[in-house]
Amino acid sequence: MRAAGRSVRARLRDRIAASDPGLLRLTAGLRTVGAIALTLAVLAPLGADVHLLVAGAMAAMVATFAIREKQLGAQAVTLALGLPVALVSVTLGAVLNARLYVGDVFFVVLIFCAVYGRRFGDRGTALGLIGFQIYFLSLFVGAEVSALPALCGAIAVAFCSSALLRFAVVPATPTGVLLRLRLAFRARLAQLVSAQLDLLDAAPDEMDKALEAVREGTARLHETAMMIQAQLEEGTPDESAARLVQRRIADAEIAAERLGLLLLTSRSAERADTLTLHLPGAPAPSVGQPAVPDETTATLRRDLQALRALVLRAGSGDAGTGLAHVRNRLLGYRDEENLPPAPAAVQDVFRGIGEAARSVLGLRIALDGPQDESDDTPATARSREELDAEDAAIDGGEEPAEEQETGLRRPTTRAAVQVAVGSALAIVGGELLSTQRWYWAVLTCWIVFLNTASTGEILVKGYRRLLGTVFGVVAGIVLAGLVGQHTWTAFGLVLVLIFAMFYVAPLSYTLMSFFVTAMLGLLYTLLHTYSLDVLLLRVEETALGAACGVVAAALVLPVRTDRRTNELLGTVLDRLAEVTEAAVGQLSGGPADELLDKARDLDQALADLRAATQPLTHPVTPLRARRHTARYVVALLETCAYHARTLAATAELLPTHPSIAADPRLRGAAGRTVRNIETIAARVADEHAAARVETGPSIASLLGSDAGTPRYGRITDRVLRHLERLDEAVVGLARPLGVPMAEPRA
């Protein structure tokens, strides 16, 4: 019973870790709700009225979510600086509240300074956010000069409560966050293996659904890997250890994605296209059950289940003889003589399972330290020796600083000007709608500019906020009717809504806006200002604020969506060319390069492009052909990035693996691919560029490799497969991007 209970708890822990990597959303929600609850618990016995309770609750929320630094020391400094900023802001709000024009002008200046402060990093962003939100708070509660002492006291209590929750009750150190992210990576890796197992067993009419699950699992695993990459520097004090974890995470991700592709190929009538794993909604290729004995299929199913168990037990510290036996059997598939009799495509799946087991072993050693080697077979011992040699060869490196734009070209300066103009328009329009609650339009205008960089992104964000607000008004009406004048019941529901708001914020901006608006309906009830007209006015002010933000973004120093996506597309192509050229150069016998860092830069550039294309791929976009083109281009780039990452990972094996040798012919064979990437990048930067994409013989024929080359011995065969698919994907980019094709060379 005790073992069963541990198993249930472990499964629940893994499920939570996979759904919320690093428990970042849970931590944010608990910390914010706890800070608000503690503030109310302190203020209520002191006889604070409802206005002070609401002000304290809002200040605690702002003091908690505004701070984004990773190190606790930096967070403490920012929180300490934030308190005087908040006190000055609320004082100015109370003084200027009755002075119409002076107050409006100051509000616009404050907004400009708050946005401009983003150029100073997380601290500047946090202080600007605190200054703006506390000024808004003063308008919301109708702060007056006579009430300033009590109001400042409530804000001080709120900041102290936030500090207590942040540093004592719900601390989140970089090391702790990284540890939870590593658990999330394992859990998501196990989920992906489960999806691949379903793909193996899926009937022909279920293939599309099973493939979509594999596609989603692959994307979620990559998302977690990127989160770990961002946390490594702060969460791992030793640079060599950080690079080791980075390498092992990359190995595991590549091995898992490759296993999915091999499984899909084994189920397909012909070789599966890598693009199928990256293009949402792409139909599964025609399938046919491989002509293999039932016992071989059963063995394959058993080994996938064993791989999943190996992943889930990797960090348990309780390996046991049974798990060691499973590990040894899977690693044995890396040797040709251990493969069961089956068609080549099915044998490739067994090889892929062996490579995935090796990556799990490397991940376990990197994360948990040395392991018991008493039960190792010769195949497992060889894998350990390879991993040890790779670990010893890992060295640190410095990244070059990127050139920063200046003047109005600087994103923070441009955004500050745009938000200031949009807010001025929102103030004018908002006061025409209501002289009492015009500030809602300003708040919406401010928010739609947060974390956006183009007119299209602002338009989509404004649409989502308006949609969430409309539904939130309905919920606010229902909740206000149920709560009535029960103050503490209303505060309890406010806490629930705030937790939900923070928990869903990274997942859905529409849902977050829904919970915010529903919460505001309860706050209006507490302040005795609730009415249906007030909530409807909230919708009108939200629509006005979003419209003002879009107008300002479109007319003042505009950044068109096409321009931004083209800039980011050019960056992705540049990074892709760098990774490919450096990896092939090292595979050809050239000097070692910082391939891990280059691959990470490529992944980050692709993530930025994916976010920037959301306005083009959003369901409300009327240009359907353009939407399909954007999705197709991003999927092709993800395919290219996968093959480039794999080439980089393979190149890094050269110094440590005697079975892998450099091949000087690769540099010449891959030259066409690199030139094509550069040609496409030049065409994206200048549509009048005359260069054309080259086509011609396959990479293998350019290399002139022998048909008898061992499949998994020398480097040539494995690299060739990825180079050929990378070359095909790059050529495929030319058509949707309008790059002309050159005549094939004779």
Side-chain angles (χ1 to χ4, degrees):
M1 290 293 291
R2 186 174 302 173
R6 283 199 301 268
S7 176
V8 171
R9 288 195 298 271
R11 287 198 299 270
L12 180 60
R13 180 199 63 191
D14 291 337
R15 184 168 299 180
I16 294 174
S19 64
D20 182 14
L23 302 183
L24 299 178
R25 291 184 285 126
L26 180 64
T27 300
L30 291 177
R31 184 186 293 147
T32 305
V33 168
I36 294 173
L38 182 58
T39 300
L40 296 176
V42 172
L43 293 178
L46 298 177
D49 62 16
V50 173
H51 287 76
L52 287 179
L53 294 176
V54 171
M58 294 181 67
M61 181 172 64
V62 172
T64 304
F65 78 74
I67 298 175
R68 297 296 183 187
E69 284 117 330
K70 296 177 182 177
Q71 295 291 353
L72 293 180
Q75 294 175 12
V77 172
T78 303
L79 192 60
L81 293 174
L83 179 56
V85 169
L87 297 179
V88 170
S89 184
V90 75
T91 300
L92 290 173
V95 171
L96 300 176
N97 189 19
R99 302 183 182 182
L100 181 61
Y101 298 109
V102 176
D104 291 348
V105 171
F106 175 78
F107 201 8
V108 173
V109 172
L110 174 63
I111 289 170
F112 176 88
C113 294
V115 177
Y116 187 77
R118 297 181 198 172
R119 67 171 295 187
F120 301 108
D122 289 337
R123 180 163 297 158
T125 301
L127 295 179
L129 188 58
I130 289 172
F132 171 83
Q133 292 286 359
I134 296 299
Y135 192 90
F136 172 84
L137 180 155
S138 69
L139 299 175
F140 183 78
V141 299
E144 298 178 353
V145 176
S146 59
L148 269 178
L151 195 56
C152 289
I155 292 175
V157 169
F159 271 73
C160 292
S161 299
S162 177
L164 182 62
L165 264 293
R166 178 179 295 275
F167 301 121
V169 181
V170 192
T173 63
T175 303
V177 172
L178 181 59
L179 176 61
R180 293 193 293 270
L181 284 173
R182 285 158 27 179
L183 293 174
F185 184 84
R186 284 168 166 159
R188 286 193 166 181
L189 179 56
Q191 288 182 343
L192 177 56
V193 175
S194 297
Q196 292 168 346
L197 185 59
D198 293 338
L199 181 67
L200 173 69
D201 293 329
D205 59 343
E206 298 174 343
M207 277 292 292
D208 284 333
K209 182 179 179 181
L211 176 59
E212 187 60 36
V214 171
R215 190 181 290 135
E216 181 181 351
T218 303
R220 284 162 60 88
L221 185 67
H222 181 65
E223 174 193 28
T224 311
M226 291 291 292
M227 294 173 71
I228 291 176
Q229 299 276 20
Q231 198 72 27
L232 273 176
E233 183 177 350
E234 299 287 346
T236 308
D238 182 6
E239 184 177 357
S240 296
R243 290 182 63 80
L244 175 59
V245 173
Q246 179 185 6
R247 172 61 188 272
R248 295 303 166 220
I249 291 291
D251 285 347
E253 182 189 357
I254 291 170
E257 189 166 356
R258 181 170 174 269
L259 178 58
L261 181 63
L262 293 174
L263 270 168
L264 186 61
T265 300
S266 72
R267 293 294 314 273
S268 306
E270 55 187 12
R271 188 193 76 177
D273 191 340
T274 317
L275 177 64
T276 307
L277 283 181
H278 299 116
L279 182 59
S286 57
V287 300
Q289 196 68 27
V292 295
D294 291 341
E295 58 269 20
T296 302
T297 303
T299 300
L300 185 57
R301 184 180 301 109
R302 179 201 64 182
D303 288 339
L304 283 171
Q305 294 170 341
L307 177 62
R308 179 177 57 191
L310 196 65
V311 171
L312 290 174
R313 294 282 297 278
S316 65
D318 180 22
T321 304
L323 195 63
H325 174 72
V326 167
R327 179 197 63 210
N328 294 337
R329 185 179 76 247
L330 300 187
L331 288 172
Y333 291 140
R334 301 183 67 221
D335 297 332
E336 294 291 321
E337 61 269 17
N338 292 329
L339 294 173
V346 178
Q347 285 190 332
D348 280 346
V349 178
F350 283 104
R351 293 189 185 96
I353 292 175
E355 293 296 332
R358 178 190 182 276
S359 72
V360 173
L361 176 63
L363 193 62
R364 180 175 186 180
I365 294 173
L367 299 182
D368 305 321
Q371 310 295 317
D372 181 13
E373 303 177 13
S374 59
D375 296 320
D376 283 1
T377 61
T380 303
R382 282 195 299 274
S383 295
R384 287 191 190 275
E385 291 171 0
E386 293 172 0
L387 293 168
D388 290 341
E390 292 172 25
D391 297 349
I394 290 178
D395 190 13
E398 294 184 0
E399 298 181 19
E402 295 185 1
E403 183 179 353
Q404 297 291 330
E405 295 180 325
T406 59
L408 291 177
R409 295 179 59 192
R410 189 192 298 272
T412 50
T413 305
R414 181 176 58 243
V417 173
Q418 290 177 323
V419 177
V421 172
S423 298
L425 295 175
I427 288 174
V428 174
E431 289 187 342
L432 291 176
L433 286 176
S434 170
T435 58
Q436 299 295 322
R437 295 182 176 84
W438 52 269
Y439 43 79
W440 287 120
V442 181
L443 180 67
T444 299
C445 181
W446 157 280
I447 287 177
V448 296
F449 274 95
L450 293 178
N451 300 319
T452 54
S454 70
T455 306
E457 291 178 66
I458 292 170
L459 179 61
V460 169
K461 192 171 184 179
Y463 160 79
R464 288 172 173 168
R465 184 167 183 83
L466 181 59
L467 185 65
T469 299
V470 170
F471 286 103
V473 163
V474 176
I477 293 172
V478 174
L479 291 176
L482 293 175
V483 171
Q485 300 302 318
H486 300 285
T487 301
W488 292 110
T489 303
F491 269 123
L493 285 175
V494 165
L495 293 178
V496 172
L497 292 172
I498 288 175
F499 176 83
M501 175 181 70
F502 279 90
Y503 195 78
V504 305
L507 304 178
S508 172
Y509 187 73
T510 301
L511 276 177
M512 188 199 77
S513 300
F514 167 81
F515 289 121
V516 168
T517 305
M519 175 196 69
L520 289 173
L522 291 173
L523 291 182
Y524 279 131
T525 301
L526 290 170
L527 295 174
H528 307 294
T529 56
Y530 166 79
S531 70
L532 179 59
D533 292 338
V534 168
L535 290 181
L536 293 178
L537 178 63
R538 159 80 172 157
V539 175
E540 295 172 354
E541 297 280 4
T542 298
L544 175 64
C548 291
V550 172
V551 169
L555 301 181
V556 181
L557 305 173
V559 178
R560 308 295 182 192
T561 303
D562 287 345
R563 172 186 156 192
R564 174 159 174 78
T565 53
N566 282 345
E567 290 176 351
L568 294 175
L569 176 57
T571 301
V572 172
L573 292 170
D574 290 341
R575 299 287 185 270
L576 178 62
E578 291 174 4
V579 174
T580 304
E581 189 169 24
V584 172
Q586 193 164 322
L587 289 165
S588 303
D593 205 340
E594 298 295 337
L595 294 177
L596 284 177
D597 292 336
K598 291 182 183 296
R600 180 183 63 184
D601 292 342
L602 170 61
D603 286 336
Q604 186 57 58
L606 186 53
D608 293 340
L609 175 64
R610 192 183 304 110
T613 57
Q614 286 185 1
L616 303 178
T617 59
H618 196 274
V620 301
T621 301
L623 305 176
R624 296 175 60 88
R626 191 182 183 193
R627 180 173 64 198
H628 293 321
T629 299
R631 292 174 61 190
Y632 183 70
V633 167
V634 171
L636 273 174
L637 289 170
E638 289 177 342
T639 295
C640 292
Y642 162 67
H643 293 299
R645 282 196 305 270
T646 306
L647 288 172
T650 307
E652 291 216 331
L653 300 178
L654 278 174
T656 57
H657 285 246
S659 62
I660 297 177
D663 191 331
R665 298 173 297 172
L666 288 170
R667 187 186 299 276
R672 183 181 71 194
T673 304
V674 175
R675 288 194 302 272
N676 283 342
I677 297 172
E678 294 171 344
T679 296
I680 296 173
R683 182 60 180 249
V684 169
D686 179 10
E687 62 181 9
H688 300 295
R692 295 172 177 266
V693 167
E694 303 175 21
T695 58
S698 67
I699 300 294
S701 64
L702 290 175
L703 191 65
S705 59
D706 299 329
T709 300
R711 287 183 56 83
Y712 283 80
R714 292 178 59 84
I715 193 66
T716 304
D717 186 67
R718 174 176 294 189
V719 170
L720 273 180
R721 287 198 304 274
H722 290 289
L723 275 177
E724 287 181 339
R725 295 194 180 189
L726 176 59
D727 186 67
E728 293 168 0
V730 169
V731 172
L733 277 171
R735 182 182 58 79
L737 295 178
V739 184
M741 308 287 291
E743 294 295 330
R745 295 182 180 180

